[in-house]
Amino acid sequence: MADVGNAQREIRKIAYRLWMEEGQPEGRDREHWERAKEIWNFRHRNDEAEVSDRQMEASGGRHAAPKDATPRRQTQ
């Protein structure tokens, strides 16, 4: 997984923002990290499903989306 480093950098930025927003409290780094991971996971929750759908379509899998299906809206 090449994106692990990118994900950790994004999570670190989110955790830092949470820490700053809360007035830079000491001793809550683990809490901020866990909350940041939850936020990151929420933001990226459809990424894996979309990749999986494309892989199924490419392989001719029976779970491939119909050609006339409405595409998923990307959230950021």
Side-chain angles (χ1 to χ4, degrees), residues 11-51:
I11 293 167
R12 188 178 303 121
K13 288 178 184 179
I14 296 167
Y16 179 77
R17 190 190 74 229
L18 292 170
W19 177 70
M20 292 294 288
E21 288 174 356
E22 292 183 12
Q24 305 168 3
E26 291 189 33
R28 295 183 48 205
D29 53 325
R30 185 68 167 169
E31 176 186 337
H32 291 129
W33 182 260
E34 293 302 320
R35 285 182 46 214
K37 283 193 327 187
E38 290 174 11
I39 291 168
W40 188 91
N41 284 326
F42 180 79
R43 289 179 180 170
H44 295 87
R45 69 191 179 279
N46 289 327
D47 290 352
E48 288 184 19
E50 290 177 11
V51 168

